[in-house]
Amino acid sequence: EIGTIATDLFAVSGKLARPLVAEPHDRFAFGSAPGDASVIVVNHSPSAIDSISMAVEGPAAADFVVPTGQCAGPLAPEASCAITASFAATAPGVRLADLVLTPVVGGTPGDPLFVELAGQGPAFGAAPTAIGFGDVAVGVTSAARTVIVTNASAAPLALTRTLAGGQ
């Protein structure tokens, strides 16, 4: 961004930029299907970045995987590299976390860039996903087992039938 900053004492004019910028935006949007998404990271600093440390943080961090070794080497000024993340929901509803990218120059960490990770888990869930009844003799009723169904959407959930399977 080109601009001028002025005070009563002095004026500064020029290009203001963070060292790392994610293009085209600071967000991975995965939707509801498991899969991969990529973002391009650009070094807008006048110096090479030695390395970029990466961490996934936030309430649904376990739903997102960022393989190590991406953008591993030095990143020259105005150079770019791609970072890919994978999503697999572990629970229903909106799943959010942040990919924290910290540039390291001369062994010193710089200001981190936060890239939002957003995905949609299934509209409903059930827990537990499997139940055991143990050995039950023919003609004998087992003890009841409870399955909790959770609706993560704003719409009503209608269960029209249940299926049981087993051996």
Side-chain angles (χ1 to χ4, degrees):
E1 177 177 309
I2 303 292
T4 300
I5 300 172
T7 71
D8 292 338
L9 303 174
F10 61 89
V12 176
S13 181
K15 184 175 182 178
L16 304 173
R18 293 182 53 106
L20 281 182
V21 176
E23 295 179 355
H25 42 71
D26 294 350
R27 186 168 200 237
F28 283 88
F30 290 92
S32 61
D36 297 341
S38 295
V39 68
I40 303 298
V41 176
V42 181
N43 176 10
H44 283 303
S45 76
S47 304
I49 293 173
D50 298 329
S51 63
I52 300 171
S53 89
M54 297 182 216
V56 178
E57 300 175 353
D63 292 9
F64 302 93
V65 175
V66 178
T68 58
Q70 299 183 84
C71 294
L75 192 61
E78 300 305 321
S80 63
C81 62
I83 296 176
T84 300
S86 299
F87 171 68
T90 59
V94 175
R95 312 298 295 154
L96 298 173
D98 286 308
L99 171 60
V100 183
L101 304 172
T102 305
V104 179
V105 177
T108 304
D111 292 332
L113 170 65
F114 293 86
V115 180
E116 182 180 275
L117 303 170
Q120 178 69 42
F124 68 92
T129 56
I131 53 176
F133 291 95
D135 292 332
V136 179
V138 175
V140 175
T141 302
S142 72
R145 299 288 188 263
T146 301
V147 175
I148 298 173
V149 177
T150 305
N151 181 6
S153 74
L157 177 65
L159 298 177
T160 57
R161 67 181 182 154
T162 58
L163 297 174
Q167 301 170 353

